[in-house]
Amino acid sequence: MEENLVIDKEILKYNSSHNHPENEYDVSLSIMKHKIKDGIEKSSIPFEMRLICPEYNSIKSQILRNLNKKLSSNIPSESEYYKTKRVENFMIFKNFNLIIFQSPFQAKLFWEYNDDIFVDGTFFIAPKFSYQIFITRTYVKELDSFYTISFAILKNKEQETYKKLFEKLKKMLIHKLKKKLCYNEVKNDNNIFIYYKAISNLPFINPEYIFDIYVIIKIKSIKNNYCQFLKFLEYFYKTYLIDYNMKIWNYYNNIEHITNNASESLNNYLNNLFPTKPSFYELIDKLNELEHLSYYDYQRKIRGIWKIKKRAINKANEISVLIERYKSIEAKLIDAKCDRNNIINLWFNCLTDFNNII
């Protein structure tokens, strides 16, 4: 069985007697992609510029997103899809750039369980006219279960759109939105790595000593001339010590959930449900169905009909044990009227111990 590729100037042809028809297009596209890439490599373009030249899929994705953002939404203000399967209001807010869905049941959970809120966004299942699906979830401790408490469809990633979203969510009584420390790359030097890990683990220690530890790390970095790391420290200072209230991102008094897996797992589930982008109504219908299943899961667990599974020991448990041990040592140092610097060094050592856990 003969199979060959023929490239004649601009004409690409795929001859095969045992492949599906669309393979002619796929192989031609693949050849064209490699021709473009080879052309870049053989050109006079500086080597550094070639390294940052985006891949075909990156360019394609960006073009599709820009086209989708220009599509007219034509989403009505009223629809049967805006009601839950229990005929309750599901959509709570809509403007040109944002639609928020939250049922009375989800609002009740939002009201009663807001110590731990998990947020995450996904682009893969966003309808064609939109940019992102933004999901918030909460944890019901007595049931050891996570529940979705709102869905939002965003048409763009503009700051005003996110601002409006959070304003609406705040009105639904979000008291504590935890923000995870952002990670930047730290290369080669082991001391920088240790300092970076220390900064990354600051959310777990006594907030009273965080600024002191930050100053220690900065002084050591200046002495060692860690120029790039000092830029990161400046970013951390402005963003997390000045712009944000430390209580928002510090877990010291509530080390129970240290990841965003509750939201990311749901997004992965939704992504698998839709191999291609769904229509607006397909998505809302599925979100409505998930809300309904969540409602009955909660009702059965709260009434004792379904047994609550015991959670396995995880990283949060290990971190909690470590923090409690250092809390006990701190209390003894305070009782012994030790110098504040001794307590600062204690918590700095705690950050080093975290490297064995995280």
Side-chain angles (χ1 to χ4, degrees), residues 85-132:
K85 295 186 183 298
R86 300 180 300 282
V87 198
E88 302 166 327
N89 288 332
F90 193 29
M91 186 188 75
I92 62 171
F93 177 80
K94 178 182 180 294
N95 67 14
F96 185 73
N97 293 320
L98 176 67
I99 307 174
I100 304 175
F101 295 90
Q102 184 181 66
S103 70
F105 160 66
Q106 292 172 324
K108 173 181 178 293
L109 291 180
F110 221 170
W111 175 282
E112 295 180 359
Y113 305 98
N114 48 55
D115 287 333
D116 298 286
I117 301 298
F118 304 85
V119 301
D120 196 29
T122 177
F123 303 97
F124 297 105
I125 63 167
K128 287 187 176 181
F129 74 88
S130 63
Y131 180 80
Q132 182 185 31

Side-chain angles (χ1 to χ4, degrees), residues 12-231:
L12 300 176
K13 187 177 181 182
Y14 181 75
N15 296 326
S16 176
S17 58
H18 65 276
N19 282 279
H20 296 289
E22 61 269 19
N23 282 0
E24 180 175 343
Y25 170 77
D26 292 340
V27 173
S28 299
L29 186 60
S30 178
I31 294 171
M32 181 58 73
K33 286 161 58 178
H34 285 292
K35 286 183 69 177
I36 293 171
K37 194 168 184 178
D38 288 341
I40 293 173
E41 291 177 352
K42 294 175 182 178
S43 71
S44 59
I45 299 174
F47 179 74
E48 293 80 6
M49 291 297 292
R50 288 184 229 159
L51 292 177
I52 61 173
C53 183
E55 292 289 330
Y56 169 82
N57 286 338
S58 300
I59 298 172
K60 177 183 174 183
S61 297
Q62 190 59 51
I63 291 173
L64 287 176
R65 281 185 184 176
N66 287 335
L67 288 174
N68 288 336
K69 282 189 283 185
K70 293 177 182 178
L71 293 175
S72 174
S73 62
N74 294 323
I75 300 302
S77 299
E78 297 293 332
S79 170
E80 61 180 306
Y81 288 90
Y82 298 164
K83 298 285 185 180
T84 68
K85 295 186 183 298
R86 300 180 300 282
V87 198
E88 302 166 327
N89 288 332
F90 193 29
M91 186 188 75
I92 62 171
F93 177 80
K94 178 182 180 294
N95 67 14
F96 185 73
N97 293 320
L98 176 67
I99 307 174
I100 304 175
F101 295 90
Q102 184 181 66
S103 70
F105 160 66
Q106 292 172 324
K108 173 181 178 293
L109 291 180
F110 221 170
W111 175 282
E112 295 180 359
Y113 305 98
N114 48 55
D115 287 333
D116 298 286
I117 301 298
F118 304 85
V119 301
D120 196 29
T122 177
F123 303 97
F124 297 105
I125 63 167
K128 287 187 176 181
F129 74 88
S130 63
Y131 180 80
Q132 182 185 31
I133 306 299
F134 195 88
I135 298 171
T136 58
R137 308 194 82 195
T138 192
Y139 176 66
V140 180
K141 187 172 184 177
E142 59 264 37
L143 303 182
D144 193 23
S145 299
F146 296 94
Y147 291 94
T148 302
I149 46 182
S150 74
F151 300 97
I153 302 177
L154 287 71
K155 194 173 181 180
N156 54 53
K157 59 177 181 179
E158 294 175 4
Q159 185 175 347
E160 282 303 311
T161 303
Y162 286 104
K163 184 178 178 182
K164 176 63 70 175
L165 169 62
F166 284 109
E167 283 177 356
K168 292 299 177 181
L169 293 178
K170 283 176 69 176
K171 288 184 179 179
M172 303 310 294
L173 301 178
I174 294 183
H175 297 305
K176 300 176 181 178
L177 177 62
K178 295 192 173 182
K179 297 185 179 288
K180 293 170 67 178
L181 181 66
C182 102
Y183 285 80
N184 285 1
E185 186 177 6
V186 177
K187 297 180 180 179
N188 300 325
D189 195 293
N190 187 56
N191 284 334
I192 296 180
F193 177 76
I194 292 173
Y195 295 156
Y196 170 68
K197 291 287 286 184
I199 292 291
S200 302
N201 293 328
L202 287 177
F204 305 115
I205 71 166
N206 191 333
E208 185 178 343
Y209 306 103
I210 285 179
F211 184 77
D212 300 277
I213 291 173
Y214 164 80
V215 171
I216 291 173
I217 293 174
K218 184 173 182 179
I219 290 173
K220 290 183 177 182
S221 298
I222 292 173
K223 286 182 179 179
N224 288 285
N225 198 28
Y226 295 145
C227 299
Q228 295 301 316
F229 187 67
L230 283 167
K231 292 180 181 179

